Structure formats: structure tokens, C-alpha cells
Amino acid sequence: MKDQIEAIQAEALARIETAGDARSLEDARVAILGKKGTLTEVSAGMRDVPKEEKAAVGQLLNAARQAITASLEGKQQAIQDAADRQALEGIDVTLPARALHHGSLHPLTIIRHDAIRILRRMGFALAEGPEIEDEFHCFDALNTPADHPARNEKDTFYFDSGKLLRTHTSSVQVRTMEGQAPPVRIIAPGSAYRRDEIDATHLSVFNQLEGLYVDTDVSLGDLKGTLEYFFHELYGPKTEVRFRPHFFPFTEPSFEIDVKLEVKGQAPRWIEVAGCGMVDPAVFEAISSSRKDPAYDPEKVTGFAFGMGLDRLAMIRWGIKDIRLLIENDARFLKQFA
Ligand code: DAH
């Protein structure tokens, strides 16, 4: 029996040694230690071993089992190591890593930041107001009569409560003056809402930037100088800027501003970018009755106001033909601004 065990052990170790892959190693394990394995079968012979030899034979069997198990484990590790080494072969660890994807600012964010930066340099402070407004702040205080088309149900989103989604950021002018005596020099970037049919140049939500400057002796010259400077800073000093007479209920006189600039791939043409004007005394009167003080006495203060569409400003700067690109979040479009 001892000879048999030794022979089986020797044979087993030799077989394990020659196993070249995980599968043949597993076959070897089953052939040796499995239910019908060689070592398992010889162990069954223990019953017939005479008592006085049992201990010695048992020891031998244990030693054989341990040697075989150790050899199996060692070989398994060696096969795994070889596989790992092979997997790493051919990998050039000195190659540069794959570039990480960088996000970028949205074009609207870029243009808003630029506009704010330019206007803050001229002393305008940021102001804000609610997007859900009432008719007083959106229309009445801005000298917009009840029958004005902008107030129509067809053009404005009304709530059952009578409140509405502000149709322009001009409502922030009213809220600011209600809360603060002159001098006032504020800008208010924010969303505005209209029931427009959505197409390449219209969305029902868009972005405006409102401006208001009220003090004693604010003149039309201040308005022109400020906005000309603004558009030259935003679009470059060669940009032409013109003021075209227009009508807004809350300013008198009122103008629309057009700019003419070089946009890649487009013939230069005049494009409307903003509305502006001198604050109408009727607005100051509405503020005075709301505040119940003479801080905005139209005989004492003057002011100018302006409002521009940020979406439009971005479309002009980059030659974007369809406003819907600004809300679709298509990475192929957005990554051009990285
Ligand atoms: N609120 C106007 C609009 O949405 C834009 C505007 C025009 C704002 C003239 C002003 C202004 O402050 O003075 O079309």
C-alpha cells in the first residue's frame, strides 16, 4: 500500500506539472482527487490495512494529499500569472491616456456672462423679479393699456388666478423702483414667456436682459453712449450700431437698436437686437402711487431703459440659424463652444 501511495503521488505530481492550461489542470484534479480519483481510490484501501500500520499509512496518505493539493494550487497560480502576463503583452503603457470629455458653457451662458460683465463695468448691478407676475407689474405700471395686444390671452400665458408668466423682464424695472429710491442702475437677465408658435426664430420661453438707469439728469446721450459702448464691447469695435425710432408704451422717445457686423459666412446686414428709450413719465407716476412717496417725481428724475433678447444676441454672434438648437442639448452642437 505504501508503494502504491508513493507511485500515485509521483504520477499525480508529474501530471500536474505538465498541465498547460486551466482546463487540463482541472482534469488532473478530478483524475486524482475526484470521487473516482486515484488518490481517493487508494484511500479506500485503508480499511484493509492492519491496525499496527494504520497510523503510518494514514500519515503517508495525508502527506500525499497535502503535496498534491499544494502542487495543484501552485500550478493554478502559475497558469493565472501566465495568462495575466499575456493579456498585458502588447499594451504600450507609455501611450497617452484617453482624453477625458470636458463639458463647456452653453452659448447662452457665455453671452449672458459677457453682457453682465460689460454692464457691471459701467456700474449696473444685478436685479431680479418673479417669473410669475401680476398684470400691474407686467403691464399697468409700464403704461400698457388693457387693450394692448401684448395683454391678449392669445399672446400671454395666464393662470386662473389672473397671474401670468411675465412676457418681458421689464417687470423687474417696476419691482426695483418700488423697492429702491433713485439713483437706480440695474440689469435683470431672465426668462420671458409668450404664446408664440415655435419656429426657427421663436420659442415660448426665451431669455432677455433688461436695463434701467434712473437719476437726476439722465439723458438720451447717456442712453446712446451706454448702448453703443455695450455693443462695441460685445461684438467688436467695428460693429455698426443704429437707433431707429419706435414705440414702446413705457418709454418716450423709444428706439429699436440695430447692429451690423461681420458674421462668418453671412453678408453683413442690419439686425434688430434691442428696444430702448427714455422712461415715460407715466411709469414714474405709477411707481409714485405704488410707493406713496415723491422719490420718483417725474419733474425731478429721468431715466433710460432697455431690453434685449439674449438668444438673439447669441444667434448673431455665432451665426446660429435656428433658435431651437439652443434648447435641444445636442452635444454635437454644444461642443462647438468648448
Ligand atoms: N420689453 C420689451 C420687449 O420685450 C423690450 C424693451 C423695449 C425693454 C424698450 C425696455 C425698453 O426696457 O425701454 O419687447
Side-chain angles (χ1 to χ4, degrees), residues 168 170 173 194 208 210 248 250-251 275-277 305-307:
H168 53 186
S170 303
Q173 290 187 31
R194 287 182 200 168
Q208 288 194 326
E210 190 77 16
F248 294 104
F250 32 91
T251 43
C276 64
F306 55 89

Side-chain angles (χ1 to χ4, degrees), residues 71-86:
S71 170
L72 275 169
E73 281 168 6
K75 188 69 183 180
Q76 191 184 14
Q77 189 62 49
I79 288 172
Q80 185 62 51
D81 288 350
D84 288 350
R85 239 177 291 119
Q86 212 179 9

Side-chain angles (χ1 to χ4, degrees), residues 13-92:
L13 294 180
R15 178 158 181 190
I16 292 167
E17 195 43 52
T18 55
D21 55 31
R23 159 154 293 218
S24 52
L25 188 66
E26 177 61 9
D27 290 346
R29 190 189 67 76
V30 172
I32 303 159
L33 300 177
K35 258 195 205 148
K36 293 190 179 146
T38 47
L39 195 70
T40 316
E41 279 185 344
V42 78
S43 307
M46 271 300 274
R47 333 181 199 105
D48 307 326
V49 176
K51 237 191 194 156
E52 56 281 10
E53 283 179 37
K54 262 204 161 92
V57 173
Q59 255 176 17
L60 200 61
L61 254 181
N62 269 343
R65 184 177 291 276
Q66 271 168 20
I68 288 165
T69 310
S71 170
L72 275 169
E73 281 168 6
K75 188 69 183 180
Q76 191 184 14
Q77 189 62 49
I79 288 172
Q80 185 62 51
D81 288 350
D84 288 350
R85 239 177 291 119
Q86 212 179 9
L88 287 175
E89 247 167 51
I91 292 180
D92 183 349

Side-chain angles (χ1 to χ4, degrees), residues 103-182:
S104 56
L105 290 180
H106 191 281
L108 270 175
T109 308
I110 299 174
I111 209 94
R112 189 176 64 241
H113 284 180
D114 284 359
I116 291 174
R117 192 169 37 78
I118 298 165
L119 289 156
R120 284 179 70 131
R121 270 211 309 270
M122 290 191 279
F124 287 89
L126 280 167
E128 59 182 4
E131 292 177 18
I132 297 176
E133 259 302 0
D134 50 47
E135 296 197 75
F136 175 75
H137 291 91
C138 201
F139 300 126
D140 297 315
L142 289 165
N143 195 33
T144 307
D147 59 356
H148 191 279
R151 300 182 68 149
N152 201 304
E153 294 250 347
K154 285 214 315 286
D155 296 317
T156 301
F157 293 105
Y158 283 95
F159 295 93
D160 291 342
S161 64
K163 291 216 172 187
L164 51 92
L165 290 176
R166 70 181 178 197
T167 57
H168 53 186
T169 45
S170 303
S171 52
V172 185
Q173 290 187 31
V174 179
R175 295 213 169 255
T176 305
M177 288 189 279
E178 280 179 331
Q180 182 188 333

